């Protein structure tokens, strides 16, 4: 499927950097369909089971749907993804052995899927990081990454409800590619940056536009970090299991209607550049989450603007990674 975004003349340079100019002067980009599954894919999850007094468990989601319970395979493994990633390659090798073993499986009906990472040290977010998103706002492409944050308390699971706060009348959607840091680092070099990535997941950067763009001095933090404003999941897909994280179809649907439909090849600053940039300022730790920005199609820039209301269902999907499905309550 092909999507077209009309461009203003002064943004043709932006478009040429991003992709192709159609003969009519419109900007064109290709959106791929979902790719076939890979048998070698590592999809790391956190989950709960009914009646389990020990709480969170770790697992690997197999192609076909069953879950390998890592804590049943090896009781010495930690119970949270953050601790699992802190162990490093040894923990990942244990997970691969568990998959090869093929035992200790659970069905999805037996579990409640959680966000694949909880209580991260940092949730790093990137604004204005898609070419087509700059086009829809008629603004220049940033020369340096625009960085803000969410609090970890905003994180919820891939199928959890999103609470529409009484304090906002302009709650908006933003599908995003996210990645999770796998090891500690500072002043990371670009050629080594991907070695610090544990994997990729889907994020929904829910945004209260009135608080982001009008109130509190137009600072972004409060509008981005209400409770439940960061669904993540459904799994952390290890980086070697993706064909190319910077060439994946990305889309958002509200009540089944497609609102955003783009490709991660529209990213201005890609994974390596973001790691290099942010690690200048702060030490990155295992479990830190990066939300890499959203493509065009958000509600606030529609004419007239469209915002989420209670009862709406939002689906955020990225090829080869999965889909978040959250209801606004």
């Amino acid at each position: 499927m092909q999507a077209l975004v009309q461009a203003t003349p002064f943004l043709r340079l932006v478009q040429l950097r991003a992709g192709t100019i159609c003969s009519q002067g419109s900007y064109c980009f290709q959106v791929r369909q979902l790719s076939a599954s890979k048998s070698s894919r590592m999809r790391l999850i956190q989950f709960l089971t009914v009646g389990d007094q020990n709480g969170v468990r770790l697992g690997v989601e197999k192609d076909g749907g069953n879950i390998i319970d890592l804590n049943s395979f090896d009781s010495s493994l930690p119970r949270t993804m953050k601790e699992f990633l802190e162990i490093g390659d040894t923990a990942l090798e244990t997970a691969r052995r568990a998959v090869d073993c093929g035992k200790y499986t659970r069905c999805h009906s037996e579990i409640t899927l959680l966000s694949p990472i909880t209580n991260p040290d940092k949730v790093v977010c990137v604004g204005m990081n898609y070419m087509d998103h700059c086009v829809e706002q008629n603004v220049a492409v940033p020369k340096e990454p625009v960085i803000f944050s969410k609090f970890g308390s905003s994180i919820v699971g891939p199928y959890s409800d999103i609470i529409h706060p009484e304090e906002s009348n302009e709650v908006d959607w933003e599908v995003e590619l996210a990645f999770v840091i796998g090891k500690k680092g500072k002043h990371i070099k670009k050629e080594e940056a991907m070695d610090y990535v544990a994997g990729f997941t889907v994020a929904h950067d829910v945004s209260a536009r009135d608080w982001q763009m009008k109130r509190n001095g137009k600072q972004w933090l409060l509008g981005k970090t209400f409770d439940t404003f960061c669904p993540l999941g459904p799994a952390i897909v290890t980086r070697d299991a993706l064909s190319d994280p910077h060439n994946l179809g990305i889309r958002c649907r509200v009540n089944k209607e497609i609102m955003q439909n783009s490709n991660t090849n529209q990213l201005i600053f890609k994974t390596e550049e973001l790691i290099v940039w942010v690690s200048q300022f702060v030490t990155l730790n295992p479990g830190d989450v990066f939300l890499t920005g959203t493509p065009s199609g958000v509600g606030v820039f529609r004419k007239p603007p469209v915002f989420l209301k209670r009862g709406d269902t939002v689906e955020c999907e990225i090829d080869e990674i999965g889909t978040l499905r959250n209801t606004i309550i």
Side-chain angles (χ1 to χ4, degrees), residues 254-271:
V254 178
N255 301 325
K256 303 298 183 181
E257 181 181 354
I258 294 179
M259 297 297 190
Q260 294 178 277
N261 198 354
S262 187
N263 193 289
T264 59
N265 63 21
Q266 293 289 295
L267 282 165
I268 299 164
F269 302 104
K270 296 178 170 56
T271 300

Side-chain angles (χ1 to χ4, degrees), residues 31-35 41 43 130 174-179 200-204 233-235 237 242 244-253 260 262-265 267 290 292-295 315-324:
V31 178
R32 301 189 311 167
Q33 299 303 312
L34 285 169
S35 299
R41 179 173 296 168
R43 300 177 59 86
Y130 271 73
E174 289 192 15
V175 60
E176 306 206 7
L177 175 71
F179 62 86
F200 293 82
T201 192
V202 185
H204 184 183
V237 181
L242 295 176
D244 180 356
H246 304 124
N247 189 23
L248 298 173
I250 179 171
R251 59 195 68 84
C252 176
R253 294 180 288 268
Q260 294 178 277
S262 187
N263 193 289
T264 59
N265 63 21
L267 282 165
F290 278 66
T292 62
T294 199
E315 295 174 292
C316 294
E317 178 183 62
I318 301 178
D319 293 356
E320 301 182 27
I321 300 178
T323 304
L324 309 177

Side-chain angles (χ1 to χ4, degrees), residues 164-172 207-211 214-215 226 306-310:
H164 191 302
E166 295 289 343
E167 294 82 1
S168 176
N169 296 312
E170 298 181 355
V171 177
D172 203 350
S207 304
R209 301 300 190 187
D210 36 9
W211 283 93
K214 301 174 184 176
R215 305 186 61 176
F226 281 94
V306 179
F307 297 111
L308 294 169
K309 59 186 184 299
R310 294 172 182 85

Side-chain angles (χ1 to χ4, degrees), residues 32 43 76 106 137 157 160:
R32 301 189 311 167
R43 300 177 59 86
S76 70
R106 297 179 183 271
Q137 298 177 67
S160 300

Side-chain angles (χ1 to χ4, degrees), residues 4 8 34 38 62 70 81 111 147 163 223-224 299 317:
L4 298 179
T8 55
L34 285 169
K38 295 182 178 181
K62 296 179 65 178
L70 293 180
M81 190 67 69
I111 72 167
I147 303 296
I163 298 171
K224 295 283 191 172
E317 178 183 62

Side-chain angles (χ1 to χ4, degrees), residues 5 11 13-19 27 29 128-137 139 141-142 262-263 265-270 294-296:
V5 179
L11 282 171
L13 181 60
V14 171
Q15 297 167 330
L16 284 168
R17 178 179 170 185
Y27 172 65
F29 54 88
M128 307 294 296
N129 199 30
Y130 271 73
M131 292 288 186
D132 56 1
H133 189 42
C134 292
V135 169
E136 76 172 340
Q137 298 177 67
V139 297
V141 174
S262 187
N263 193 289
N265 63 21
Q266 293 289 295
L267 282 165
I268 299 164
F269 302 104
K270 296 178 170 56
T294 199
S296 63

Side-chain angles (χ1 to χ4, degrees), residues 3 31 100 104 107-108 160 169 194 198 204 232 247 258 298:
V31 178
D100 292 339
Y104 308 105
C107 299
H108 267 282
S160 300
N169 296 312
M194 284 304 250
H204 184 183
L232 292 176
N247 189 23
I258 294 179
V298 297

